[in-house]
Coordinates of all heavy atoms in Angstrom, one line a residue:
M19 N 5.2 -8.4 -5.9 CA 4.4 -8.4 -4.8 C 3.6 -9.6 -4.5 O 2.9 -9.9 -5.4 CB 3.6 -7.1 -4.6 CG 2.9 -6.9 -3.2 SD 2.2 -5.3 -3.0 CE 3.5 -4.1 -3.1
L20 N 3.7 -10.3 -3.4 CA 2.9 -11.4 -3.1 C 1.9 -11.2 -1.8 O 2.4 -10.4 -1.0 CB 3.8 -12.6 -2.7 CG 4.9 -12.9 -3.8 CD1 5.7 -14.0 -3.3 CD2 4.1 -13.6 -5.1
H21 N 0.8 -11.9 -1.9 CA -0.2 -11.6 -0.9 C -0.9 -12.8 -0.7 O -0.8 -13.8 -1.4 CB -1.0 -10.3 -1.1 CG -1.6 -10.3 -2.5 ND1 -2.7 -11.1 -2.8 CD2 -1.1 -9.9 -3.6 CE1 -3.0 -10.9 -4.1 NE2 -2.0 -10.2 -4.6
L22 N -2.0 -12.8 0.4 CA -2.8 -13.9 0.5 C -3.5 -14.4 -0.8 O -4.0 -13.6 -1.5 CB -3.8 -13.5 1.5 CG -4.6 -14.5 2.2 CD1 -4.0 -15.5 3.0 CD2 -5.7 -14.0 3.1
G23 N -3.5 -15.7 -1.0 CA -4.0 -16.2 -2.3 C -3.0 -16.2 -3.5 O -3.3 -16.9 -4.3
S24 N -1.9 -15.7 -3.3 CA -0.9 -15.8 -4.5 C -0.4 -17.2 -4.5 O -0.4 -18.0 -3.4 CB 0.4 -14.9 -4.2 OG 0.0 -13.5 -4.3
T25 N 0.0 -17.7 -5.7 CA 0.6 -19.0 -5.9 C 1.7 -19.0 -6.9 O 2.0 -18.1 -7.5 CB -0.6 -19.9 -6.5 OG1 -0.9 -19.5 -7.8 CG2 -1.8 -20.1 -5.6
G26 N 2.4 -20.1 -6.9 CA 3.6 -20.3 -7.8 C 4.9 -20.5 -7.2 O 5.1 -20.6 -5.9
S27 N 6.0 -20.5 -8.0 CA 7.3 -20.7 -7.6 C 7.9 -19.7 -6.6 O 8.7 -20.0 -5.7 CB 8.2 -21.0 -8.8 OG 8.2 -19.8 -9.6
S28 N 7.5 -18.4 -6.8 CA 8.0 -17.3 -6.0 C 7.4 -17.5 -4.5 O 8.1 -17.2 -3.5 CB 7.4 -16.0 -6.4 OG 8.1 -15.6 -7.7
V29 N 6.1 -18.0 -4.5 CA 5.6 -18.3 -3.1 C 6.3 -19.5 -2.4 O 6.8 -19.5 -1.3 CB 4.1 -18.6 -3.1 CG1 3.6 -18.9 -1.8 CG2 3.4 -17.3 -3.7
R30 N 6.6 -20.4 -3.3 CA 7.4 -21.6 -2.7 C 8.9 -21.2 -2.2 O 9.2 -21.7 -1.2 CB 7.6 -22.7 -3.9 CG 8.1 -23.9 -3.5 CD 8.3 -25.0 -4.6 NE 7.1 -24.9 -5.5 CZ 6.1 -25.9 -5.3 NH1 6.1 -26.6 -4.2 NH2 5.1 -25.8 -6.0
Q31 N 9.4 -20.4 -3.0 CA 10.8 -19.9 -2.5 C 10.6 -19.1 -1.2 O 11.4 -19.3 -0.3 CB 11.3 -19.0 -3.7 CG 12.8 -18.5 -3.2 CD 13.4 -17.6 -4.3 OE1 12.7 -17.3 -5.4 NE2 14.7 -17.3 -4.1
L32 N 9.7 -18.2 -1.1 CA 9.4 -17.5 0.1 C 9.2 -18.4 1.3 O 9.7 -18.3 2.4 CB 8.2 -16.6 -0.2 CG 7.6 -15.9 1.2 CD1 8.8 -15.1 1.9 CD2 6.4 -15.0 0.9
Q33 N 8.2 -19.5 1.0 CA 8.1 -20.5 2.1 C 9.4 -21.2 2.5 O 9.6 -21.3 3.7 CB 7.1 -21.6 1.6 CG 5.7 -21.0 1.4 CD 4.9 -22.0 0.6 OE1 5.3 -22.7 -0.2 NE2 3.5 -22.0 1.1
E34 N 10.2 -21.5 1.7 CA 11.5 -22.0 2.0 C 12.4 -21.1 2.8 O 12.9 -21.6 3.8 CB 12.3 -22.5 0.7 CG 11.6 -23.7 0.1 CD 12.2 -24.0 -1.4 OE1 13.1 -23.2 -1.8 OE2 11.7 -25.0 -1.9
Q35 N 12.5 -19.9 2.4 CA 13.2 -18.8 3.2 C 12.7 -18.7 4.5 O 13.4 -18.7 5.5 CB 13.3 -17.6 2.4 CG 14.1 -17.6 1.1 CD 14.1 -16.4 0.3 OE1 13.1 -15.8 0.3 NE2 15.2 -15.9 -0.3
L36 N 11.5 -18.6 4.7 CA 10.8 -18.3 5.9 C 10.9 -19.7 6.8 O 11.2 -19.4 8.1 CB 9.2 -18.2 5.9 CG 8.8 -16.8 5.2 CD1 7.3 -16.7 4.9 CD2 9.2 -15.7 6.2
G37 N 11.0 -20.8 6.2 CA 11.3 -21.9 6.9 C 12.7 -21.9 7.6 O 13.0 -22.4 8.6
Q38 N 13.6 -21.6 6.7 CA 15.1 -21.5 7.2 C 15.2 -20.5 8.3 O 16.0 -20.7 9.2 CB 16.0 -20.8 6.0 CG 16.1 -21.9 4.9 CD 16.9 -21.2 3.7 OE1 17.3 -20.1 3.8 NE2 17.0 -21.9 2.5
L39 N 14.4 -19.5 8.4 CA 14.5 -18.5 9.4 C 13.6 -18.9 10.6 O 13.4 -18.3 11.7 CB 14.0 -17.2 9.0 CG 14.7 -16.5 7.9 CD1 14.1 -15.4 7.3 CD2 16.1 -16.2 8.3
R40 N 12.9 -20.1 10.5 CA 12.0 -20.6 11.6 C 10.8 -19.8 11.9 O 10.3 -19.9 13.1 CB 12.8 -21.0 12.9 CG 14.0 -21.9 12.5 CD 14.8 -22.3 14.0 NE 16.0 -23.0 13.6 CZ 16.0 -24.3 13.5 NH1 14.9 -25.0 14.0 NH2 17.2 -25.0 13.3
L41 N 10.3 -19.1 10.8 CA 9.2 -18.4 10.9 C 7.9 -19.0 10.4 O 6.7 -18.6 10.7 CB 9.3 -17.0 10.2 CG 10.3 -16.1 10.7 CD1 10.7 -14.9 9.8 CD2 10.0 -15.5 12.1
Y42 N 8.2 -20.1 9.6 CA 7.2 -20.8 8.9 C 7.4 -22.3 9.0 O 8.5 -22.8 8.7 CB 7.0 -20.4 7.6 CG 6.0 -21.0 6.6 CD1 4.6 -20.9 6.8 CD2 6.3 -22.0 5.6 CE1 3.7 -21.5 6.1 CE2 5.5 -22.6 5.0 CZ 4.2 -22.4 5.1 OH 3.2 -23.1 4.2
T43 N 6.4 -23.1 9.4 CA 6.7 -24.5 9.5 C 5.6 -25.3 8.7 O 5.6 -26.6 8.7 CB 6.6 -25.0 11.0 OG1 5.2 -24.6 11.5 CG2 7.7 -24.3 11.8
G44 N 4.9 -24.7 7.8 CA 3.9 -25.2 7.0 C 4.4 -25.9 5.8 O 5.6 -25.9 5.6
P45 N 3.5 -26.3 5.1 CA 3.9 -27.0 3.8 C 4.6 -26.0 2.8 O 4.2 -24.8 2.6 CB 2.6 -27.7 3.2 CG 1.6 -26.8 3.7 CD 2.0 -26.4 5.2
V46 N 5.5 -26.5 2.0 CA 6.1 -25.7 0.9 C 5.4 -26.2 -0.3 O 5.8 -27.0 -1.1 CB 7.7 -26.0 0.8 CG1 8.2 -25.2 -0.3 CG2 8.3 -25.7 2.0
D47 N 4.3 -25.5 -0.5 CA 3.4 -25.9 -1.6 C 3.1 -24.8 -2.6 O 2.3 -24.9 -3.6 CB 2.0 -26.4 -1.0 CG 1.3 -25.3 -0.2 OD1 1.7 -24.2 -0.1 OD2 0.3 -25.7 0.5
G48 N 3.7 -23.6 -2.5 CA 3.4 -22.6 -3.4 C 2.2 -21.8 -3.2 O 1.9 -21.1 -4.2
Y49 N 1.5 -22.0 -2.1 CA 0.2 -21.3 -1.9 C 0.4 -20.3 -0.6 O 0.9 -20.8 0.4 CB -1.0 -22.2 -1.6 CG -2.1 -21.5 -1.2 CD1 -2.9 -20.9 -2.2 CD2 -2.7 -21.6 0.2 CE1 -4.2 -20.2 -1.9 CE2 -3.8 -20.8 0.5 CZ -4.5 -20.1 -0.5 OH -5.7 -19.4 -0.3
Y50 N 0.3 -19.0 -1.0 CA 0.3 -18.0 0.1 C -0.9 -18.0 1.1 O -1.9 -17.3 0.9 CB 0.4 -16.7 -0.7 CG 1.1 -15.6 0.2 CD1 2.3 -15.0 -0.1 CD2 0.5 -15.0 1.4 CE1 2.9 -14.0 0.6 CE2 1.1 -14.0 2.1 CZ 2.4 -13.4 1.6 OH 2.9 -12.5 2.4
S51 N -0.8 -18.9 2.1 CA -1.9 -19.0 2.9 C -1.9 -18.0 4.1 O -0.9 -17.2 4.2 CB -1.7 -20.3 3.6 OG -0.6 -20.4 4.5
H52 N -2.9 -18.1 5.1 CA -2.9 -17.2 6.2 C -1.6 -17.5 7.1 O -1.1 -16.4 7.8 CB -4.1 -17.5 7.1 CG -5.3 -17.1 6.5 ND1 -5.6 -15.7 6.5 CD2 -6.3 -17.7 5.7 CE1 -6.8 -15.5 5.7 NE2 -7.2 -16.7 5.4
D53 N -1.0 -18.6 7.0 CA 0.0 -19.0 8.0 C 1.4 -18.3 7.2 O 2.2 -17.8 8.0 CB 0.4 -20.5 8.0 CG -0.6 -21.1 8.9 OD1 -1.3 -20.6 9.7 OD2 -0.7 -22.4 8.7
V54 N 1.5 -18.2 5.9 CA 2.5 -17.6 5.3 C 2.4 -16.0 5.6 O 3.4 -15.4 5.9 CB 2.6 -17.8 3.8 CG1 3.6 -17.0 3.1 CG2 2.8 -19.3 3.5
A55 N 1.3 -15.5 5.5 CA 1.1 -14.1 5.7 C 1.4 -13.7 7.2 O 2.1 -12.7 7.5 CB -0.4 -13.7 5.5
A56 N 1.1 -14.6 8.2 CA 1.4 -14.3 9.5 C 2.9 -14.5 9.6 O 3.5 -13.5 10.5 CB 0.7 -15.4 10.5
A57 N 3.6 -15.2 9.0 CA 5.1 -15.4 9.1 C 5.8 -14.1 8.5 O 6.6 -13.6 9.1 CB 5.7 -16.6 8.4
V58 N 5.2 -13.7 7.4 CA 5.7 -12.5 6.8 C 5.5 -11.4 7.7 O 6.3 -10.5 8.0 CB 5.0 -12.2 5.4 CG1 5.4 -10.9 4.9 CG2 5.6 -13.3 4.6
A59 N 4.3 -11.2 8.4 CA 4.0 -10.2 9.3 C 5.0 -10.2 10.5 O 5.5 -9.0 11.0 CB 2.6 -10.3 9.7
R60 N 5.3 -11.4 11.1 CA 6.3 -11.4 12.1 C 7.6 -10.8 11.7 O 8.2 -10.1 12.6 CB 6.4 -12.8 12.6 CG 5.2 -13.4 13.4 CD 5.6 -14.8 14.1 NE 5.7 -15.8 13.3 CZ 4.7 -16.5 12.6 NH1 3.5 -16.1 13.0 NH2 5.0 -17.6 11.9
M61 N 8.1 -11.1 10.5 CA 9.4 -10.6 10.2 C 9.3 -9.1 9.9 O 10.1 -8.3 10.4 CB 9.7 -11.2 8.7 CG 11.0 -10.7 8.1 SD 12.4 -11.0 9.2 CE 13.7 -11.3 8.1
Q62 N 8.1 -8.6 9.3 CA 7.9 -7.2 9.2 C 8.0 -6.4 10.5 O 8.6 -5.4 10.6 CB 6.7 -6.9 8.4 CG 6.7 -7.5 7.0 CD 5.3 -7.3 6.3 OE1 4.3 -7.8 6.9 NE2 5.3 -7.0 5.1
Q63 N 7.3 -6.9 11.6 CA 7.3 -6.3 12.8 C 8.5 -6.4 13.5 O 8.9 -5.3 14.0 CB 6.1 -7.1 13.7 CG 4.7 -6.7 13.2 CD 3.8 -7.6 13.9 OE1 4.0 -8.8 14.3 NE2 2.5 -7.0 14.1
A64 N 9.3 -7.6 13.4 CA 10.6 -7.5 13.9 C 11.6 -6.6 13.4 O 12.5 -6.1 14.1 CB 11.2 -8.9 13.9
R65 N 11.4 -6.4 12.1 CA 12.4 -5.5 11.4 C 11.8 -4.0 11.2 O 12.5 -3.2 10.4 CB 12.8 -6.0 10.1 CG 13.4 -7.4 10.1 CD 15.0 -7.2 10.7 NE 15.6 -8.5 10.9 CZ 16.5 -9.1 10.1 NH1 17.0 -8.3 9.0 NH2 17.0 -10.3 10.4
A66 N 10.6 -3.8 11.6 CA 9.9 -2.5 11.4 C 9.9 -2.1 10.0 O 10.2 -1.0 9.5 CB 10.7 -1.4 12.3
I67 N 9.5 -3.0 9.1 CA 9.4 -2.8 7.6 C 8.2 -2.1 7.4 O 7.1 -2.7 7.7 CB 9.5 -4.2 6.9 CG1 10.8 -4.8 7.3 CG2 9.3 -3.9 5.4 CD1 10.9 -6.3 6.8
P68 N 8.2 -1.0 6.8 CA 6.9 -0.1 6.4 C 6.1 -0.6 5.3 O 6.1 0.2 4.4 CB 7.6 1.3 6.3 CG 8.8 1.1 5.6 CD 9.3 -0.3 6.3
E69 N 5.7 -1.8 5.4 CA 4.7 -2.3 4.2 C 3.5 -2.9 5.0 O 3.5 -3.1 6.2 CB 5.5 -3.4 3.5 CG 6.5 -2.8 2.8 CD 7.4 -3.8 1.9 OE1 7.2 -5.1 2.1 OE2 8.2 -3.5 1.1
P70 N 2.5 -3.1 4.3 CA 1.3 -3.7 4.9 C 1.7 -5.0 5.5 O 2.2 -5.8 4.8 CB 0.3 -3.8 3.6 CG 0.8 -2.8 2.7 CD 2.2 -2.7 2.8
L71 N 1.1 -5.2 6.7 CA 1.5 -6.6 7.4 C 1.0 -7.8 6.5 O -0.2 -7.7 6.1 CB 0.8 -6.4 8.7 CG 1.6 -5.7 9.7 CD1 0.9 -5.8 11.2 CD2 3.1 -6.1 9.9
G72 N 1.9 -8.6 6.4 CA 1.4 -9.9 5.7 C 1.7 -9.9 4.2 O 1.4 -10.8 3.5
V73 N 2.0 -8.7 3.7 CA 2.2 -8.6 2.2 C 3.7 -8.5 1.9 O 4.5 -7.8 2.6 CB 1.5 -7.3 1.6 CG1 1.8 -7.0 0.2 CG2 0.0 -7.3 1.9
Y74 N 4.1 -9.3 1.0 CA 5.5 -9.5 0.6 C 5.9 -8.6 -0.5 O 5.8 -8.9 -1.7 CB 5.6 -11.0 0.2 CG 7.1 -11.4 -0.1 CD1 8.1 -11.4 0.9 CD2 7.6 -11.7 -1.4 CE1 9.4 -11.8 0.6 CE2 8.8 -12.1 -1.6 CZ 9.8 -12.1 -0.7 OH 11.0 -12.5 -1.0
G75 N 6.4 -7.4 0.0 CA 6.9 -6.4 -1.0 C 8.4 -6.3 -1.0 O 9.0 -7.1 -0.4
P76 N 8.8 -5.3 -1.7 CA 10.3 -5.2 -1.9 C 11.0 -5.0 -0.6 O 12.2 -5.7 -0.5 CB 10.4 -3.8 -2.7 CG 9.1 -3.2 -3.0 CD 8.1 -4.2 -2.3
G77 N 10.6 -4.2 0.4 CA 11.3 -4.1 1.7 C 11.3 -5.4 2.4 O 12.3 -5.8 3.0
T78 N 10.3 -6.1 2.4 CA 10.2 -7.4 3.1 C 11.2 -8.4 2.4 O 11.8 -9.3 2.9 CB 8.8 -7.8 3.1 OG1 8.0 -6.9 3.6 CG2 8.7 -9.2 3.9
R79 N 11.0 -8.5 1.0 CA 11.8 -9.3 0.2 C 13.4 -9.1 0.6 O 14.1 -10.2 0.9 CB 11.7 -9.1 -1.3 CG 12.6 -9.9 -2.1 CD 12.3 -9.6 -3.6 NE 11.0 -9.9 -4.0 CZ 10.2 -8.9 -4.6 NH1 10.5 -7.7 -4.7 NH2 8.9 -9.2 -4.8
T80 N 13.7 -7.9 0.6 CA 15.2 -7.6 1.0 C 15.6 -8.1 2.3 O 16.6 -8.8 2.5 CB 15.5 -6.2 0.9 OG1 15.3 -5.7 -0.5 CG2 16.9 -5.8 1.3
A81 N 14.7 -7.9 3.3 CA 14.9 -8.3 4.7 C 15.1 -9.8 4.8 O 15.9 -10.4 5.4 CB 13.9 -7.8 5.7
I82 N 14.1 -10.5 4.2 CA 14.1 -12.0 4.3 C 15.2 -12.6 3.5 O 15.9 -13.5 4.0 CB 12.7 -12.5 3.8 CG1 11.5 -12.1 4.8 CG2 12.7 -14.1 3.7 CD1 10.1 -12.5 4.3
T83 N 15.6 -12.2 2.4 CA 16.7 -12.7 1.5 C 18.0 -12.5 2.2 O 18.7 -13.4 2.3 CB 16.6 -11.9 0.1 OG1 15.4 -12.3 -0.5 CG2 17.7 -12.6 -0.7
T84 N 18.1 -11.4 2.8 CA 19.3 -11.1 3.5 C 19.5 -12.1 4.7 O 20.6 -12.5 5.1 CB 19.4 -9.6 3.9 OG1 19.4 -8.8 2.8 CG2 20.7 -9.3 4.8
A85 N 18.4 -12.2 5.5 CA 18.4 -12.8 6.8 C 18.6 -14.3 6.5 O 19.1 -15.1 7.3 CB 17.1 -12.6 7.5
A86 N 18.1 -14.8 5.3 CA 18.1 -16.2 5.0 C 19.5 -16.7 4.4 O 19.6 -17.9 4.2 CB 17.0 -16.6 4.0
M87 N 20.4 -15.7 4.2 CA 21.6 -16.1 3.5 C 22.6 -16.7 4.5 O 22.5 -16.6 5.6 CB 22.4 -14.8 2.9 CG 21.5 -14.3 1.8 SD 22.3 -12.7 1.3 CE 23.0 -13.4 -0.4

């Protein structure tokens, strides 16, 4: 699970996937910023994913990974 303040390669991969989906245009720096959280929340709302908004959990991971393929 990733959330505001998380860092690392998993966040970098998420940023790249969100960029492919045109949900995120910020830097790919491995930092889970407010902009990343907002992009995740947009995806969650669009797909009605029942997870806390802006938190990258298993349901959100599946939706983003599938959409970015």
Side-chain angles (χ1 to χ4, degrees):
M19 186 172 293
L20 301 172
H21 51 80
L22 193 61
S24 294
T25 60
S27 60
S28 295
V29 177
R30 187 180 314 275
Q31 181 179 9
L32 170 60
Q33 290 168 324
E34 290 171 353
Q35 289 175 322
L36 291 170
Q38 290 172 4
L39 298 172
R40 299 182 190 267
L41 293 170
Y42 175 74
T43 58
V46 178
D47 58 5
Y49 177 71
Y50 202 112
S51 66
H52 288 283
D53 290 340
V54 174
V58 168
R60 285 192 292 277
M61 180 62 148
Q62 290 169 321
Q63 290 172 324
R65 300 286 176 107
I67 299 167
E69 292 180 348
L71 285 179
V73 176
Y74 183 70
T78 306
R79 177 181 301 117
T80 298
I82 290 174
T83 301
T84 301
M87 294 179 111

